[in-house]
Amino acid sequence: MTVLLAGLCTVDIVQRVAELPEPGQKVQSASVSVAAGGPATNAAVTVAALGGRALLLTVLGSHPLAELARSDLRECDVEVSDALACHSDPPPVSAVAVRERDGERTVVSHNAAAVPEVAAPRRLPDVDAVLVDGHHPELALAAARWGRRLSRPVVVDAGSWKPVFTELLPLADIVACSAQFRAPAAALRGVPTVITTSGADPVRWSSGGESGEVAVPAVAARDTLGAGDVWHGALVTKVGKLGIPRLIEFANAVAAERVRHAGPRSWLGPVKAKMGVT
């Protein structure tokens, strides 16, 4: 399974703390991790962990901080196509604090707001599915249009409304929203499948005139950072192979395994073992 994932790549600095700090308060962290992050990036790591070939189309640039993300992604077997390799500014950086007792987190992120508009590569590879998060609009549209041209499933990770979604959603086969997603009334009209996640609550779906809910496994969460992105990555590895309820069940199971483990990459070995990936 080869998946093209277009979107944000950040450098995540993750610290585990006993309690999340109040305004003006300083706290001591128990550990510090540095890893690549961002919705499409975390989904790409998941695709690779589940035995797929993950092709990440993003913007990193030439700043020394970008090598931290590249190095991590090489370790995770994610292939990176940098659409603006000469960009000299620092890549987007996220400062993350994760609460030790329940895995809840706070994130402060610059995202891709300051990154110039970029043109997608003239030629994209043959793939089995496409996932986009909308953070680099031109890359998202190019990837989604390529998926449609190849008649491959196109999944949109709709965490929060972005103006590009006006053009992007009509290209989607599946739009996977968070419960906090707010869109213009007609934005999702005509999308074949809409899925809404809500943390530990059941995942709701509607597809082809049918609808339903799929329960989320109850787990003792140790780290919720990127769990939704992992869910999307798991979903896209099986899209077109499973019916919608079973597809959601699979994504739920992989995301549940992620939150059981503390740290950005500690879950990869266990999920590979659980899914029989060598």
Side-chain angles (χ1 to χ4, degrees), residues 4-8 40 57-59 83 117-121 124 130-148 154-157 162-169 171-172:
L4 175 63
L5 306 102
L8 183 66
L57 178 59
T58 189
V59 172
E117 285 295 323
V118 294
L124 293 170
V130 173
L131 181 144
V132 300
D133 65 19
H135 276 280
H136 296 291
E138 293 305 317
L139 301 186
L141 287 169
R145 288 166 179 158
W146 182 245
R148 291 301 291 262
V154 175
V155 178
V156 174
D157 173 354
K162 301 171 184 64
V164 70
F165 283 163
T166 300
E167 297 177 78
L168 199 55
L169 297 188
L171 300 172

Side-chain angles (χ1 to χ4, degrees), residues 13-119:
I13 302 170
V14 185
Q15 302 197 65
R16 296 189 67 82
V17 296
E19 294 293 340
L20 299 174
E22 299 290 338
Q25 181 186 17
K26 293 182 179 180
V27 298
Q28 181 73 33
S29 66
S31 65
V32 180
S33 300
V34 178
T41 297
N42 288 328
V45 169
T46 306
V47 169
L50 294 173
R53 183 185 178 202
L55 310 177
L56 177 63
L57 178 59
T58 189
V59 172
L60 273 172
S62 60
H63 191 277
L65 281 175
E67 184 55 33
L68 296 175
R70 285 197 183 89
S71 177
D72 178 52
L73 292 172
R74 281 194 296 269
E75 289 291 321
C76 294
D77 295 322
V78 173
E79 300 174 41
V80 178
S81 175
D82 191 344
L84 200 62
C86 62
H87 186 56
S88 60
D89 289 349
V93 175
S94 293
V96 184
V98 179
R99 189 164 58 193
E100 189 70 51
R101 59 184 165 85
D102 60 1
E104 282 297 329
R105 79 283 188 272
T106 61
V107 181
V108 178
S109 182
H110 190 53
N111 287 343
V115 176
E117 285 295 323
V118 294

